[in-house]
Amino acid sequence: MDGEFATHTDPAAPWSLVVPLKPLRLAKSRLAVATGDALRPRLALAFALDTVAAVLACSVVRDVAVVTDDPTAAAELSALGARVVPDTPADGLNAALAHGARAVRALRPRAAVAALNADLPALRPAELALVLAAAEPFPRAFLADAAGIGTTLLTAGPGVELNPAFGGPSRAGHLSTGAVEILLAGVDSVRRDVDTGEDLLRAAELGLGPHTALRYGGTAGDGGHQAYGPLPAPGPCG
């Protein structure tokens, strides 16, 4: 990723992550209220690039499978080192995640897998490693988003089906399927997904990844992240 992160992916690392991404023309529709429709797909790609780069830099991650049918995103994410899996079910987010997990396990049947949102532009590799370590003792576990309503990460240990229930109030959905909630302080970057202008402002407070920060003319900052310039004010839905 142009040197912003060192890549620590290791064949001996325990986790394979599955990251879903809609076609960019459809992604992050709620963000258009704050950013305008022209910038929205470029931001969706930047979020995904920053998310995947941080995942690839995580010490406990072996590999990343991105489930997408978007050719532009596929090319750029593949260049980072992700494996691109076409969304052949074409039946929504949860079907894409289950398909991605099957693709991982077609190569490594006993893989521990985790589904992670593609819209975590402030993601820190060390924080992701803490969350995955906390999840490891459980057959299935999840991390709620910053609002405490949705989910940003769901894990399944070796031999355990992912059984994703993302979308809407997915925290309650994952609890209802028997997944254990990870209650862990100091992992804000793993919880801060971005759907609205307000979400983007909160992510910027944590420190945006370089691809997202470049949309605002940022300069290099600590930890491989960048300082950020003016961000769009949140719209009425933010």
Side-chain angles (χ1 to χ4, degrees), residues 112-123:
V113 297
L116 182 72
N117 288 2
D119 56 354
L120 299 166
L123 184 63

Side-chain angles (χ1 to χ4, degrees), residues 167-197:
S170 61
R171 175 179 177 269
H174 285 125
L175 283 170
S176 73
T177 68
V180 174
E181 182 170 6
I182 299 165
L183 301 174
L184 191 63
V187 294
D188 293 347
S189 76
V190 195
R191 302 183 67 205
R192 177 52 68 187
D193 56 345
V194 174
D195 290 313
T196 67

Side-chain angles (χ1 to χ4, degrees), residues 44-171:
L45 177 57
F47 295 168
L49 289 167
D50 285 328
T51 299
V52 169
V55 173
L56 288 168
C58 181
S59 60
V60 297
V61 173
R62 177 188 178 112
D63 51 24
V64 180
V66 177
V67 183
T68 188
D69 279 337
D70 189 284
T72 299
E76 296 206 30
L77 291 163
S78 179
L80 288 184
R83 172 189 176 192
V84 173
V85 178
D87 184 10
T88 53
D91 193 27
L93 175 58
N94 291 310
L97 288 170
H99 172 62
R102 288 192 298 270
V104 167
R105 286 175 169 165
L107 298 178
R108 288 198 305 127
R110 297 291 296 171
V113 297
L116 182 72
N117 288 2
D119 56 354
L120 299 166
L123 184 63
R124 301 301 205 262
E127 292 184 11
L128 176 61
L130 289 173
V131 175
L132 292 171
E136 194 166 359
F138 305 106
R140 291 174 64 249
F142 73 95
L143 186 73
D145 63 12
I149 297 170
T151 303
T152 58
L153 179 138
L154 172 70
T155 68
V160 179
E161 290 297 318
L162 188 62
N163 194 17
F166 284 82
S170 61
R171 175 179 177 269

